[in-house]
Amino acid sequence: MEQPVTALLEIRDLSVSFRDNRASQPDLLPALSISDWRLEPGAVVGIRGPSGAGKSTLLNVLSGLLLPQQGSIHWLGNEITQLKEGQRDRWRRNNIGFIFQDFHLIPELSALENVLQPIRFDHWRCPPELRRRARELLSQCGIPRAHQLANSLSRGQQQRVAVARALLKNPPILLSDEPTASLDRASADAVIELLLGATRETGKSLIVVSHDEVLLAQLPQAYELVEGRITS
Ligand code: ADP
């Protein structure tokens, strides 16, 4: 069968290495090596792999935070590896919702202010409709008290605020690094439901790195990353 013209994601001949400064002659240690990987629009994908396999590095290059030494990454036909840094940052702000393992919330701001952070680059003053959307998202994510300070929320609540923040700009792509790590099972299940709900309701794509077999079992596709290489 013929493949659709525009894939969600197309990776070719990608390699990322890091300098090993411990060696007397600093050497490049390969962290990621992906010759060919393609995902179709709407893909909801898990990635498992041992510690050090390159999972965080993969999310960093996929989001354009890290530029590979070699190779190309096309998202919906757009080659982000060819963009200049500022263009890449703009592309990321408009297209990626990133959910970090350790939330990356600003502890002394309220849940609402944290959710609104992604628009601080775009707007000097927050448009009322975005403030409304942020409140709605918080409520959908089970955080009724929008003005509660982030540092007074439980870990499960903080991760749900982080999901709401990732959804604020309605990005087509969600990337998530161990979203359920260090959460109790009930909180983890609530976060899984939010992420999967977002893909079901709005057709977003999701790539989630996880060790959580309960989470991985609920995803239609799962890959394994071993020594920087993707296997299915
Ligand atoms: P995982 O997320 O699967 O645990 P990582 O992507 O964090 O793996 O790391 C893959 C490899 O790259 C590891 O060997 C790690 O030590 C190395 N690495 C990751 N980031 C850096 C960095 N900023 N500098 C040097 N080495 C790094």
Side-chain angles (χ1 to χ4, degrees):
M1 203 174 76
E2 242 179 62
Q3 291 184 325
V5 180
T6 308
L8 168 73
L9 172 69
E10 233 174 344
I11 292 185
R12 294 257 166 77
D13 298 324
L14 184 83
S15 73
V16 177
S17 302
F18 293 107
R19 204 165 284 285
D20 180 9
N21 290 318
R22 292 164 308 176
S24 52
Q25 289 286 312
D27 216 356
L28 282 180
L29 293 177
L32 213 51
S33 176
I34 301 175
S35 57
D36 191 10
W37 193 40
R38 179 184 167 102
L39 296 177
E40 301 307 332
V44 174
V45 168
I47 296 175
R48 54 161 72 83
S51 182
K55 302 181 298 296
S56 298
T57 305
L58 176 62
L59 290 185
N60 287 337
V61 288
L62 289 180
S63 64
L65 281 167
L66 180 68
L67 204 56
Q69 278 92 356
Q70 187 190 304
S72 63
I73 300 173
H74 286 82
W75 276 113
L76 295 165
N78 191 358
E79 186 174 358
I80 64 161
T81 31
Q82 285 296 318
L83 299 178
K84 297 200 177 80
E85 193 176 349
Q87 294 171 315
R88 236 177 26 249
D89 289 345
R90 207 168 318 123
W91 173 86
R92 181 172 52 255
R93 289 203 296 274
N94 291 328
N95 290 280
I96 300 277
F98 207 131
I99 298 138
F100 298 89
Q101 175 174 355
D102 46 2
F103 327 133
H104 287 204
L105 300 184
I106 302 175
E108 61 275 13
L109 292 186
S110 68
L112 181 64
E113 287 304 323
N114 269 286
V115 174
L116 288 169
Q117 281 305 302
I119 57 129
R120 292 296 175 212
F121 290 98
D122 311 326
H123 302 275
W124 176 242
R125 274 167 180 265
C126 177
E129 65 273 16
L130 278 175
R131 195 166 275 272
R132 232 180 350 260
R133 175 166 167 76
R135 282 176 175 281
E136 271 168 27
L137 282 168
L138 277 172
S139 165
Q140 285 162 16
C141 292
I143 310 288
R145 293 171 58 206
H147 291 289
Q148 190 168 347
L149 292 186
N151 61 11
S152 71
L153 296 167
S154 71
R155 292 183 68 76
Q157 288 171 325
Q158 288 185 46
Q159 189 59 302
R160 284 184 273 143
V161 171
V163 173
R165 179 184 56 190
L167 296 174
L168 180 72
K169 292 178 76 176
N170 202 17
I173 303 155
L174 294 176
L175 300 180
S176 187
D177 196 356
E178 300 278 8
T180 59
S182 80
L183 300 186
D184 60 63
R185 193 66 257 163
S187 300
D189 289 344
V191 167
I192 294 170
E193 190 43 44
L194 282 175
L195 288 174
L196 292 181
T199 66
R200 279 194 297 267
E201 283 152 28
T202 58
K204 289 185 196 312
S205 298
L206 169 68
I207 299 181
V208 56
V209 157
S210 185
H211 284 99
D212 182 350
E213 290 298 331
V214 177
L215 163 56
L216 291 167
Q218 294 180 59
L219 305 177
Q221 270 178 292
Y223 292 85
E224 185 143 12
L225 195 62
V226 180
E227 294 182 355
R229 290 166 200 276
I230 293 213
T231 60
S232 44

